[in-house]
Amino acid sequence: MMHFGKRHICAVVACVLVFGSILICSQKGTHLLSNIIRKIFLQEKNGSPAGHLCRGKPTQNVITPLKDNKTFIVAPYFDDRESKVTRVIGIVHHEDVKELYCWFCCQPHGEIQTTNAEIDVHSDRFGFPYGAADIVCLEPPNCDPTHVSIHWSPHGNIDQLPRFEIKNRKAETFSVDFTVCISAMFGNYNNVLQFIQSVEMYKILGVQKVVIYKNSCSQMMEKVLKFYMEEGTVEIIPWPINSHLKVST
């Protein structure tokens, strides 16, 4: 018969507990690691969860021309102020573009549904053939679209169309309360003094963010923009409109 003291018993129990803990942690760690690997694999295979079932060519450009070369898409937004619609900000030829369609990618299965678009060209075209426009599409019933494609026909190959994410589908808090967007900065803009005066006046009036659609400016103006961006006052959005249209001077 074998005899063990209390210390020996405690040591044996401690060893058993430690070994059991290591085994449990090892199993949990293996399970956790496999889950992480699976998620990484699925993310790499499918892309972003919100749009991995949506077909079409994803685009991240500020301005995206459609194949008809008479319509340019900036960005679509969800608008539920009166009814559930997708409002697409675009630039269209006011005479040649008469009909457009929204191709919605409905979740959760990625089903494609098309609706006719209402084209509202802004009246302030200043006599030019192209004008800013709202391309408005009523969202189909029983459809929770995350992405949309714009096409001149309700028929075609969705895989060949650019795919746009519909912005602000989920309500989010604004980072600032007071933002000012000014006219596009183009023509190698160099009026540094006027710009500084304007920004400082905006700040006095309580503006927290000034958004600049920048096409081109001078090197001195670049330094001024860099200063205000580092300060957190200015946000720059590239605006390469002259890559798509012949703009007025």
Side-chain angles (χ1 to χ4, degrees), residues 182-192 195 212-223 225 236-243 247-249:
I182 66 175
S183 300
M185 181 177 288
F186 71 102
N188 203 33
Y189 183 82
N190 191 38
N191 198 335
V192 173
F195 181 82
I212 307 293
Y213 291 83
K214 192 186 77 172
N215 179 270
S216 64
C217 65
S218 68
Q219 291 185 355
M220 180 61 71
M221 193 69 230
E222 288 280 9
K223 294 180 180 179
L225 292 175
I236 299 296
I237 297 177
W239 193 248
I241 185 64
N242 55 324
S243 300
V247 298
S248 170
T249 56

Side-chain angles (χ1 to χ4, degrees), residues 62-174:
V62 177
I63 303 173
T64 302
L66 302 187
K67 279 191 174 182
D68 64 358
N69 205 30
K70 297 295 179 71
T71 305
F72 303 86
I73 303 301
V74 178
Y77 294 87
F78 177 60
D79 183 357
D80 63 346
R81 289 173 295 180
E82 296 181 1
S83 57
K84 289 186 176 182
V85 302
T86 292
R87 183 177 299 274
V88 184
I89 309 301
I91 303 168
V92 303
H93 194 290
H94 80 286
E95 291 180 341
D96 294 348
V97 180
K98 297 298 184 182
E99 197 170 23
L100 290 171
Y101 293 85
C102 289
W103 294 40
F104 287 106
C105 176
C106 304
Q107 298 301 327
H109 303 299
E111 176 191 0
I112 300 298
Q113 296 190 37
T114 61
T115 60
N116 196 1
E118 175 188 345
I119 305 172
D120 179 18
V121 182
H122 297 189
S123 59
D124 50 352
R125 292 186 297 101
F126 307 104
F128 296 110
Y130 284 89
D134 289 344
I135 303 166
V136 184
C137 281
L138 185 66
E139 295 184 356
N142 302 319
C143 176
D144 185 23
T146 56
H147 294 74
V148 66
S149 297
I150 310 298
H151 194 38
W152 51 266
S153 170
H155 309 289
N157 185 358
I158 183 65
D159 294 324
Q160 299 300 318
L161 300 181
R163 183 185 77 200
F164 303 93
E165 180 184 0
I166 302 174
K167 306 293 184 181
N168 69 298
R169 287 210 65 88
K170 295 182 180 180
E172 297 179 357
T173 56
F174 291 105

Side-chain angles (χ1 to χ4, degrees), residues 17 24 34 127 143 153 173 176 199:
L17 291 175
I24 293 171
S34 64
C143 176
S153 170
T173 56
V176 297
V199 173

Side-chain angles (χ1 to χ4, degrees), residues 10 41 46 57 62 93 101 162 207 245:
C10 291
F41 174 77
N46 297 329
K57 299 178 179 179
V62 177
H93 194 290
Y101 293 85
V207 169
L245 295 173

